[in-house]
Amino acid sequence: MTISELASGTTFAGYTIDGVAGAGGMGVVYRATEIALQRPVALKLIAADYAGDRKFRERFKRESMLAAAIDHPNVIPVYEAGEVDGELFIAMRFVDGIDLGVAVVRAGKLDPARAVRIIGQVASALDAAHGRGLVHRDVKPANVLLAGEGEEEHAYLTDFGLVKSLAGEGPGETTAGHFMGTVDFAAPEQINTGNTDARSDVYSLGCVLFYVLSGQSPFHRDSNVGTMFAHINEPAPSLLEYAPELPAALDAVLQKALDKDPDARQQTATELAREAQTALGGASAAPSTPGSGARRPRLPGRTGAGTLGGAKAKQAGPPQRARVLGFVLPGVLVLGLVAAALAALGVFSGGDEKQAAPARAGRAAATATATAAPSQPSVAASVELGGGPDGISVGDDGTVWVSDSKRGALARIDPKTNEVDGKPVQVGKQPDGIASAKKVTWVAANGDDRVRRVESNPDPVVVASIPVGDAPEGISLGKQLVWVTNSGDGTVNRIDRASATLVGSPIGVGKNPIGVFVGATNVWVSNHDDGTVNRIDTSTAVVAGQPIKVGKGPRGVVEGLGSVWVANSDDDTVTRIDPKTAKVVGEPIRVGKDPRDLTVGGGFVWVANAGDNSVSQIDPKTGRVLGSAIPVGDDPIGIAFGDGNVWTANFQDGTVTRIKV
């Protein structure tokens, strides 16, 4: 097998090679730096033997696009795939971590709570793929990459090189009689007929859960043929034989997952994860992927191969036995293919599984998943607004109001139809923060230093334009006053809601104040440039006490559920403040990338993460992130709650996302 070898410092396709991360039968994975963006990547070059095959090249390009289409926090993002001078390559996020197989080698059986938490994240990733009509086809411990520690441990499902559309293969894209897959975790239908679907991934995930809880692959035998025969013909072993301390209910969950009949298994990966969580005695269920978990998987088609790297330990036990096959079994196996293994740190098909050295560079996962949500919220709608949605607010009647910064307009969305209602009204230059109540919406226009009062009777009409400070950004409603932060001059203005006129003098606060929220007895102001929050007494309009030091780059701020919550955009955290003592409570809560805004509703705190296009859900009782991050539109910078829904304003793609809670 001919594999390209690039020396450190070499430039290839816009990437600088930093070193080898792993190698295998189908290619080499390099640690590299993308020159244009100066970010670390995992760069995989495909072996010339495969790259020179026309059918393989077509399959590689098709499956690269399919894998890149899976946008989920538990799936390794694909940045680019292409060809340079006959060399096929793919670039992915570089994650500093080890794979699940290595974790079991190091720790033995995993703690059950940790095991189920990891499986829940993998299940969420699988349901995201299944929701797009794709099947992974090689779910195994080596293809689950772990980053972070403790309850902030984050799992990534990797190696979508064998991903297949549930609609079936294209012409000439499979090779009859040839099996390539990891036999210890392959579903019986994958081995026996090749007619596989999303439930085959459920079976494989069940094998992985059995493995991490027991330290043993459920159907491993002394030979590959024996292992395959066991998958097809022998009943699943009892988990309690290997781990008698575990609940019998958990064994029942696995017996169901490992049923030979796909119809008898859990029908989604999330269903398996939820049942496992319940069997452990947990009140919460494993997360599902928004917009995909409720779908029934479509059926036919599939094959398998590829692995992920971790530390190359001297393997005793299951990881050493988890083999990747590349041979013909006459009369037993009928479907297979040679496919590009898309792993962030990977080894590939052929012989015993090879483990790549752990990465020494790169970034760990940014989104922390702590505990599974009782009922994972799902995306209910995406509303095409156009322009640049910025601020967002939900009125008393459930109507959603969105400021369009690019077009200087205010749009209204009907929550019943999920459509823009009527024509947008012009509200000044670069409208930003908005607040709505009693059929009146207040809009802060950053570009012309004014706040507009918009009345709906029934169509929205601007009835007042109030000059305020330099670059107004945040806005919040009190009982009698509208409070506005002016980011350009470090002040806060007050406007009388009844007369739409300024009240008193500007109140000096910190540097670049952005967020503002009127709480029970105080107004809270987040100052982006000095990392503080000011507290203004609502009765005296005087800044009370010293600035409260929070995280880096605070933006959104909200009071609710017994605390004040601050989104720190520059360090990807949320700070919790006791409103009575004005002191920070607990450690910063890690959420997604670049959290811009947050809201409270339905008993939870919701955080819009602009950097990774997601929403995080925080449990106020534990102060932890629940479930998996919820993927939304591109660049969510505004968020609001109303009538059982979370709404995000997604600036870059001109959409508004509705999340049903």
Side-chain angles (χ1 to χ4, degrees):
M1 191 66 63
T2 304
I3 301 175
S4 299
E5 294 184 4
L6 300 177
S8 296
T10 302
T11 298
F12 177 86
Y15 301 90
T16 300
I17 304 300
D18 299 323
V20 175
M26 290 177 67
V28 178
V29 176
Y30 293 96
R31 298 188 308 275
T33 300
E34 185 176 2
I35 296 173
L37 298 179
Q38 284 298 297
R39 64 178 171 182
V41 301
L43 182 67
K44 185 170 188 175
L45 269 64
I46 306 302
D49 306 61
Y50 290 109
D53 182 90
R54 181 184 60 82
K55 291 182 178 179
F56 177 86
R57 296 168 74 86
E58 293 175 357
R59 184 65 184 258
F60 171 82
K61 293 176 181 178
R62 186 180 71 89
E63 293 187 346
S64 295
M65 289 188 291
L66 290 173
I70 305 172
D71 184 9
H72 190 276
N74 296 108
V75 174
I76 294 289
V78 174
Y79 296 147
E80 181 185 11
E83 178 181 350
V84 173
D85 296 330
E87 296 267 14
L88 294 177
F89 72 93
I90 186 163
M92 298 150 285
R93 175 186 292 174
F94 195 104
V95 176
D96 188 5
I98 62 171
D99 70 52
L100 183 57
V102 172
V104 173
V105 169
R106 293 179 178 178
K109 303 175 187 177
L110 297 191
D111 173 77
R114 180 190 179 194
V116 170
R117 185 167 61 245
I118 292 170
I119 293 300
Q121 295 182 52
V122 177
S124 183
L126 284 172
D127 278 354
H130 299 162
R132 286 186 170 271
L134 307 175
V135 184
H136 186 280
R137 300 188 294 178
D138 199 20
V139 179
K140 58 184 177 182
N143 281 343
V144 177
L145 186 64
L146 303 176
E149 298 180 353
E151 291 189 338
E152 291 194 352
E153 186 174 48
H154 192 88
Y156 291 93
L157 180 61
T158 70
D159 202 347
F160 280 80
L162 300 180
V163 69
K164 176 188 171 187
S165 170
L166 285 163
E169 299 288 349
E173 290 180 344
T174 59
T175 305
H178 183 232
F179 175 83
M180 186 174 281
T182 312
V183 296
D184 276 17
F185 304 95
E189 62 269 20
Q190 177 179 355
I191 298 169
N192 196 27
T193 68
N195 295 323
T196 57
D197 58 44
R199 297 168 299 178
S200 305
D201 283 347
V202 173
Y203 180 95
S204 297
L205 187 63
C207 289
V208 173
L209 179 57
F210 190 104
Y211 164 67
V212 298
L213 289 171
S214 69
Q216 300 291 327
S217 175
F219 292 101
H220 177 74
R221 300 296 183 267
D222 290 338
S223 68
N224 294 319
V225 173
T227 299
M228 292 179 171
F229 182 89
H231 276 294
I232 296 169
N233 298 290
E234 297 180 10
S238 171
L239 175 67
L240 304 182
E241 293 179 13
Y242 302 94
E245 72 280 4
L246 294 177
L250 192 55
D251 181 48
V253 171
L254 283 170
Q255 291 292 320
K256 180 179 178 181
L258 301 180
D259 198 288
K260 310 302 180 190
D261 180 4
D263 289 336
R265 299 172 197 154
Q266 295 88 353
Q267 296 299 288
T268 68
T270 293
E271 185 181 348
L272 166 58
R274 284 176 173 164
E275 290 183 7
Q277 178 70 46
T278 301
L280 273 183
S284 58
S288 65
T289 300
S292 66
R295 298 183 189 175
R296 286 278 175 169
R298 292 176 285 150
L299 300 180
R302 168 170 177 197
T303 22
T307 66
L308 166 73
K312 183 173 182 179
K314 184 178 181 181
Q315 302 215 2
Q320 190 177 30
R321 299 194 302 263
R323 278 174 267 195
V324 178
L325 299 183
F327 61 92
V328 177
L329 291 180
V332 179
L333 311 174
V334 298
L335 190 61
L337 62 98
V338 177
L342 310 184
L345 298 173
V347 294
F348 320 93
S349 63
D352 286 348
E353 194 166 337
K354 300 177 183 179
Q355 302 293 338
R360 294 190 297 271
R363 295 184 300 189
T367 303
T369 301
T371 55
S375 179
Q376 178 78 358
S378 59
V379 172
S382 178
V383 183
E384 293 289 340
L385 189 71
D390 198 326
I392 188 165
S393 178
V394 181
D396 304 327
D397 59 353
T399 300
V400 181
W401 297 91
V402 186
S403 61
D404 183 342
S405 181
K406 291 183 180 179
R407 296 188 293 198
L410 176 68
R412 178 173 57 183
I413 296 174
D414 186 340
K416 295 179 181 179
T417 63
N418 298 318
E419 294 179 352
V420 177
D421 185 11
K423 294 182 179 180
V425 58
Q426 293 299 306
V427 289
K429 296 180 180 179
Q430 299 173 15
D432 198 327
I434 66 175
S436 182
K438 298 182 179 180
K439 297 185 178 181
V440 176
T441 302
W442 301 83
V443 184
N446 188 275
D448 61 15
D449 303 338
R450 287 179 174 269
V451 168
R452 267 81 177 183
R453 174 188 167 109
V454 182
E455 295 182 358
S456 303
N457 51 3
D459 294 328
V461 176
V462 175
V463 298
S465 178
I466 307 103
V468 289
D470 183 12
E473 195 149 348
I475 194 165
S476 183
L477 302 181
K479 292 181 179 180
Q480 297 177 332
L481 302 176
V482 181
W483 298 75
V484 184
T485 56
N486 303 305
S487 60
D489 60 18
T491 66
V492 171
N493 280 125
R494 293 165 290 159
I495 301 172
D496 181 75
R497 290 178 63 174
S499 64
T501 57
L502 286 174
V503 175
S505 301
I507 303 167
V509 286
K511 295 180 180 179
N512 194 8
I514 293 179
V516 61
F517 189 87
V518 181
T521 58
N522 295 290
V523 177
W524 305 90
V525 179
S526 60
N527 305 303
H528 180 272
D529 289 2
D530 59 18
T532 65
V533 168
N534 284 123
R535 176 170 53 115
I536 302 174
D537 188 311
T538 54
S539 60
T540 64
V542 173
V543 175
Q546 296 297 314
I548 305 165
K549 192 68 177 177
V550 289
K552 296 180 179 179
R555 296 183 71 94
V557 60
V558 65
E559 180 179 332
L561 304 174
S563 298
V564 176
W565 309 84
V566 186
N568 306 304
S569 62
D570 293 349
D571 63 12
D572 305 337
T573 66
V574 167
T575 299
R576 186 175 191 171
I577 300 172
D578 185 331
K580 296 181 180 179
T581 64
K583 293 183 178 179
V584 172
V585 177
E587 296 295 322
I589 304 166
R590 295 201 64 80
V591 288
K593 293 181 179 179
D594 191 9
R596 294 294 188 92
D597 200 8
L598 70 180
T599 189
V600 170
F604 300 98
V605 181
W606 308 89
V607 187
N609 306 305
D612 58 13
N613 305 332
S614 72
V615 168
S616 297
Q617 180 185 9
I618 299 176
D619 181 354
K621 296 179 181 179
T622 63
R624 296 175 180 172
V625 172
L626 290 175
S628 297
I630 305 165
V632 291
D634 190 359
D635 196 21
I637 59 177
I639 190 168
F641 183 93
D643 198 24
N645 295 282
V646 176
W647 300 83
T648 65
N650 311 309
F651 183 84
Q652 291 296 336
D653 65 8
T655 66
V656 171
T657 300
R658 176 185 178 184
I659 301 170
K660 184 66 177 176
V661 178

